[in-house]
């Protein structure tokens, strides 16, 4: 818990404070490139928390996770403010329904930016023993709303993924693959007629460590060639 609190301090870095400045001083073609690059980095941030051990729901079918996602960023808009990496706290939840369907939700926060997501997960195969994994697929829609002074933007992300979870004692490994599409809409600056977009594949792996109802989780992802990390605590009921 102490690690999560310390890491989340880095969120308050003002990553969008130069949004208007960068776009207003760029040509339309340059601004389009900047917005597309921003969409790629935000896609990595917004898909954070979507992947995990899908077979880890508790007896009552409820799983809560507090995660911190670490992401490197390379877009020109954030780099203009001196931001090269982000630590994004993310609260995720899964609620089991009949017929192997789970309802997914998440909330994340960056300075002056809120991230909301919701989706569904379906367990295609529940797995029979320790070497045959449970396989699930999911779809999630995520929105980001940012307002930092006069700098305003909205983003949305539509992501799909598949996860194989190996139900071993104590340690539960998982691997996954996903595809998503992200769009960024400026709500300020002189370039409100433009829209940034990006679609990327991601590859994910990690482990959930069980201790009664309190679990730890560690994950790594490769998204558009960039490595990101997720770690946190979960509570299953």
């Amino acid at each position: 818990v102490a690690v999560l609190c310390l890491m989340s301090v880095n969120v308050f870095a003002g990553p969008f404070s130069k949004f208007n400045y960068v776009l207003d001083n760029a040509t339309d073609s340059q601004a389009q490139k900047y917005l597309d690059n921003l969409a790629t980095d935000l896609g990595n941030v917004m898909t954070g928390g979507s992947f995990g051990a899908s077979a880890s729901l508790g007896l009552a079918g409820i799983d809560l996770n507090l995660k911190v996602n670490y992401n490197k960023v390379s877009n020109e808009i954030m780099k203009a403010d001196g931001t090269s990496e982000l630590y994004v706290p993310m609260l995720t939840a899964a609620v089991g329904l009949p017929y192997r369907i789970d309802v997914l939700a998440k909330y994340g926060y960056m300075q002056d930016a809120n991230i909301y997501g919701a989706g569904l997960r379906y367990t295609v195969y529940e797995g029979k023993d320790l070497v045959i994994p449970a396989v699930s697929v999911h779809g999630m829609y995520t929105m980001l709303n940012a307002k930092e002074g006069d700098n305003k933007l909205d983003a949305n992300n539509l992501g799909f993924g598949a996860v194989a979870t190996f139900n071993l004692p104590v340690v539960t490994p998982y691997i996954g693959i996903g595809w998503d599409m992200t769009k960024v809409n400026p709500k300020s600056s002189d370039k409100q007629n433009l829209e940034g977009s990006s679609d990327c594949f991601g590859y994910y792996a990690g482990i959930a460590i069980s201790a009664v109802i309190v679990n730890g989780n560690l994950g790594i992802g490769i998204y558009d060639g960039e490595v990101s990390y997720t770690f946190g605590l979960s509570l299953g009921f």
Side-chain angles (χ1 to χ4, degrees), residues 2-229:
V3 171
L4 293 177
C5 293
L6 289 172
M7 298 298 275
S8 65
V9 172
N10 290 280
V11 173
F12 300 97
F16 302 113
S17 65
K18 299 290 185 181
F19 183 78
N20 291 347
Y21 174 81
V22 172
L23 295 183
D24 290 347
N25 289 280
T27 65
D28 281 358
S29 61
Q30 289 174 326
Q32 183 66 63
K33 175 185 175 183
Y34 298 162
L35 288 171
D36 290 343
N37 292 341
L38 177 62
T40 298
D41 283 340
L42 288 183
N44 197 5
V45 171
M46 295 168 74
T47 56
S50 298
F51 288 82
S54 60
S56 62
L57 297 185
L59 295 176
I62 300 174
D63 188 62
L64 301 175
N65 279 272
L66 175 60
K67 299 181 177 181
V68 173
N69 300 313
Y70 168 80
N71 305 276
K72 283 189 175 181
V73 297
S74 58
N75 69 86
E76 296 80 0
I77 292 173
M78 289 185 179
K79 289 180 68 176
D81 192 68
T83 301
S84 60
E85 55 187 18
L86 293 170
Y87 295 93
V88 183
M90 191 82 68
L91 180 64
T92 69
V95 179
L97 299 179
Y99 307 108
R100 302 193 226 175
I101 297 173
D102 301 329
V103 176
L104 307 176
K106 64 182 178 180
Y107 171 75
Y109 182 77
M110 296 190 296
Q111 180 179 351
D112 300 316
N114 293 284
I115 301 170
Y116 307 91
L120 294 174
R121 180 171 62 198
Y122 175 69
T123 301
V124 179
Y125 185 73
E126 293 183 332
K128 290 185 177 180
D129 52 42
L130 299 182
V131 297
I132 301 178
V135 178
S136 65
V137 294
H138 69 260
M140 179 165 283
Y141 183 75
T142 306
M143 298 182 296
L144 180 148
N145 305 116
K147 179 181 178 182
E148 188 165 344
D150 295 329
N151 302 275
K152 302 176 184 178
L153 68 140
D154 292 338
N156 62 79
N157 175 278
L158 179 62
F160 301 94
V163 176
T165 301
F166 298 84
N167 292 302
L168 304 179
V170 183
V171 176
T172 305
Y174 68 88
I175 56 175
I177 184 172
W179 175 88
D180 71 283
M181 178 174 59
T182 306
K183 294 186 180 297
V184 175
N185 300 108
K187 297 300 181 181
S188 59
S189 88
D190 297 332
K191 302 299 190 296
Q192 296 183 49
N193 59 309
L194 301 179
E195 179 184 71
S197 64
S198 174
D199 60 275
C200 294
F201 277 96
Y203 306 91
Y204 305 88
I207 58 172
I209 304 172
S210 303
V212 192
I213 65 170
V214 179
N215 309 310
N217 51 77
L218 300 169
I220 183 171
I222 301 175
Y223 183 93
D224 194 39
E226 294 289 340
V227 178
S228 61
Y229 303 93

